[in-house]
Amino acid sequence: MSERRAYLHKGVGETVGVVTLDGRPERLFVSWPSDDPLDAEGVRGVARIKKIEKAFASAFVQLPGGRDLILPLRPDMPKLVEGGLVEIEIKTASRQDKAAVARFVAEGEGEPRVIVSALTVEERLRLHVKAGSPTMGDAALQAVEEAEADALATVFALPGGGDIAVEPTRALTAVDVDLGAREASDSKRAARQANMAALSVAARVLRLKGLGGIIVFDLVGRGHDGQALTTAARNAFSPDNPGVGVGAISKFGTLEMIVPRRAPPILDRLLTAGGAPNPRHQARRAARALEREGRAQPGGRLVARCSSAVAEAFAVELDAGVADRLGRRFIVEPQPGWPDDRMEVFAA
């Protein structure tokens, strides 16, 4: 039986939740005070219809105080008019390059308003791990940092040998299965075992990274047992239902799937649009390190060295909060020329 555990870290300028599956990170939920509370899966309310684009079978709608949402139009929906009201629920939060997508609930009545707010990080954890309270403290912070490292990784080892590489593109996410040094009595058996393991590991990793849409597995070997592999894929991705679709294995040895997108990829939080370390996230890593060093050195003077961009983000968002926890016994020293993912924290 698989075991899931929940971890909750409440740091300065962040609340982070982790769900682990058999000891490995499976989901990573991050909340910052600056987040838009109306840009999250599950938010429900009465929105104003700003514009109808019949050519694209879509409408642009807006909750009070929120950004534009895309509402796909269906033939079974009542006729909508610009300026009218519609009750909607956010199905997919916005991503770096795409607006959030809503689903139609009913015709709107009254005034534009929010009916159901977004779930908190702790509430999201309890959706996936219902037994007991989330683990907090140092164990939670360790789980967060392990989950972030996994989310940033590309290659993941398979049990028994071999690995997969998970690489998102604009159109799809490719999962390349590599046999590596996996041992078995024959090559066909080794390939089958690797492909089965790849489906399970990839399902966990894709949930951790927050990746969905079209997923293409480049399987190893030939003469695949299509029924067994598609059944294994449905089982591995069953936590992502409703909306998972599994195609047949192609003559080129690829398995194509569709997995619903519900949240922005976690890399949108950890990295910039250009793929570089996000100074705002790195500043939070510095705050964690200062707190950790502060507990180890009670009353000691603390120094954090980091890039100029990280120091600026720290000053704007985190300085006051860290001072509330530690007192004014720390200093952040910007180091010109340092990359944003380099930092040093120590007791002076």
Side-chain angles (χ1 to χ4, degrees), residues 30-319:
V30 181
S31 173
W32 293 350
S34 58
D35 291 345
D36 182 352
L38 299 182
D39 185 16
E41 177 197 2
V43 172
R44 186 167 173 170
V46 176
R48 181 78 64 188
I49 301 169
K50 294 184 63 179
K51 188 175 183 180
I52 295 176
E53 295 281 3
K54 294 183 179 179
F56 301 103
S58 298
F60 289 97
V61 303
Q62 187 181 60
L63 291 168
R67 291 180 284 179
D68 286 357
L69 310 169
I70 297 175
L71 176 65
L73 303 179
R74 304 191 313 268
D76 60 338
M77 288 169 52
K79 184 178 180 180
L80 305 182
V81 296
E82 293 181 1
L85 298 175
V86 61
E87 186 175 335
I88 56 93
E89 180 180 25
I90 295 182
K91 180 179 177 183
T92 307
S94 67
R95 291 177 281 156
Q96 284 182 346
D97 56 347
K98 295 184 183 295
V101 178
R103 73 173 184 88
F104 174 80
V105 176
E107 294 185 79
E109 297 180 349
E111 294 296 321
R113 64 197 183 277
V114 175
I115 299 172
V116 177
S117 300
L119 296 179
T120 66
V121 169
E122 188 166 357
E123 288 169 338
R124 296 177 73 182
L125 288 174
R126 292 184 184 278
L127 281 179
H128 301 288
V129 184
K130 296 179 173 59
S133 298
T135 298
M136 301 181 71
D138 289 343
L141 181 54
Q142 181 179 348
V144 167
E145 293 183 339
E146 289 177 356
E148 289 176 346
D150 255 21
L152 289 165
T154 298
V155 178
F156 301 86
L158 299 177
D163 57 50
I164 59 172
V166 179
E167 298 180 276
T169 70
R170 285 177 61 91
L172 53 84
T173 297
V175 180
D176 180 48
V177 186
D178 192 302
L179 196 60
R182 176 179 287 269
E183 296 182 1
S185 56
D186 61 75
S187 60
K188 187 170 183 178
R189 179 180 176 83
R192 186 179 189 277
Q193 291 175 340
N195 289 328
M196 288 291 191
L199 292 168
S200 178
V201 172
R204 175 186 67 81
V205 169
L206 291 169
R207 284 193 283 272
L208 174 66
K209 289 175 174 282
L211 295 175
I214 298 173
I215 313 295
V216 178
F217 286 82
D218 184 7
L219 303 171
V220 294
R222 297 181 179 180
H224 302 292
D225 184 340
Q227 183 174 356
L229 285 171
T230 54
T231 298
R234 291 190 184 96
N235 291 337
F237 285 86
S238 60
D240 301 295
N241 276 315
V244 174
V246 183
I249 297 175
S250 76
K251 64 180 180 180
F252 303 111
T254 59
L255 173 64
E256 188 172 319
M257 299 183 59
I258 186 77
V259 177
R261 290 190 178 99
R262 295 194 172 92
I266 198 65
L267 293 187
D268 285 3
R269 181 81 70 167
L270 305 182
L271 303 176
T272 66
N278 183 351
R280 298 182 67 201
H281 170 248
Q282 296 299 319
R284 283 156 174 81
R285 288 186 58 233
R288 298 172 194 167
L290 281 168
E291 283 201 82
R292 194 158 36 213
E293 191 68 22
R295 289 193 295 270
Q297 304 286 341
R301 300 292 298 177
L302 308 174
V303 178
R305 292 175 178 163
C306 56
S307 74
S308 298
V310 172
E312 181 179 356
F314 184 97
V316 171
E317 299 186 61
L318 308 172
D319 181 81

